[in-house]
Amino acid sequence: MSVIRVGTRGSALALAQTQTIANRIAASAGVEVEIVPIETHGDVSTESLASLGGTGVFASALREALVRGDCDVVVHSLKDLPTDPFPGLVIGATPKRADARDALCARAGFTLESLPDGARVGTGSPRRMAQLRKARPDLEIVDLRGNIDTRLGRVAEGDLDAVVLAAAGLGRLGRLDDASTELLSLSDWPTAPGQGALALEVRDEKLDRLLHTALAAINHGTTEGATTAERLVLAHLEAGCAAPIGATAVIDDGLLFLTATVYSPDGLRSVTSSHAATPDSHSALHLVEAARDVAGRVATDLLAGGAAEFAPLKVSK
């Protein structure tokens, strides 16, 4: 393989994070890497994520291009990747995760607590909407689409008082320090399963030796184990990536800890479950086995707590 083609969405954020991955692939494989921008339905539609169904809205076009052979590997934001397997494709590597937290980006340095009564806060995420309503019922929540610069621009122009964005995305664009006014703690404000992580998807076939070597060098076992646990909660609940669910998994002192919360859209109800598992080792295989165990127990608790009764979990795939 003389050139490795890397498919990606064409947004500034997607291109920035893909360039970092392309550089790592090139360094490991020692060959030229070409970035192939691909337009997705989520990028061109102005409908809300909730109305689009959320699941796969950014991933489908990338996956179809990979199956067609238009590229050799695609880079996804893991939080946007459906949990259902896609025929003929597998995740080939999960790079080390960036910051999984959400960031409040507000005018005048406001925090979530100090925002004025009735402040207008923008987000396109049903999970963030529910969390905002739970924390501050007085706020006016504005459904929001567009890239990071567009969203931040609405705050700068005075149309919105604040927006909530992923800290990882701001960081990858070099905007975290100047744009964010508060980083929201994962213990109080769990984020989307897989947030902050990327996934490198490839065809389910024997890979070119150089690409296989590069993916092995990029994969981060701890990130793979933690994000697998978070995403398996979604899978057990048969929920899409736009469902109002926050999940946080960490591996510490030999234990895999997983906490997940399901919210009602109005923020008035929620249910939380936490469990831990002990992997036999820190190998990727054992971490994934532990992830399956702990995610199953967490999901069972969430359903027993009534999650399916008050939250829109099942969405069209």
Side-chain angles (χ1 to χ4, degrees), residues 231-240 243 245 260-262 295 298-304 307-308 313-315 317:
R231 284 167 48 79
L232 282 174
V233 173
L234 283 184
H236 283 300
L237 298 178
E238 299 182 53
I245 298 173
T261 301
V262 178
V298 165
T300 297
D301 281 358
L302 294 174
L303 291 173
L313 299 181
K314 295 187 180 181
V315 296
K317 298 293 183 178

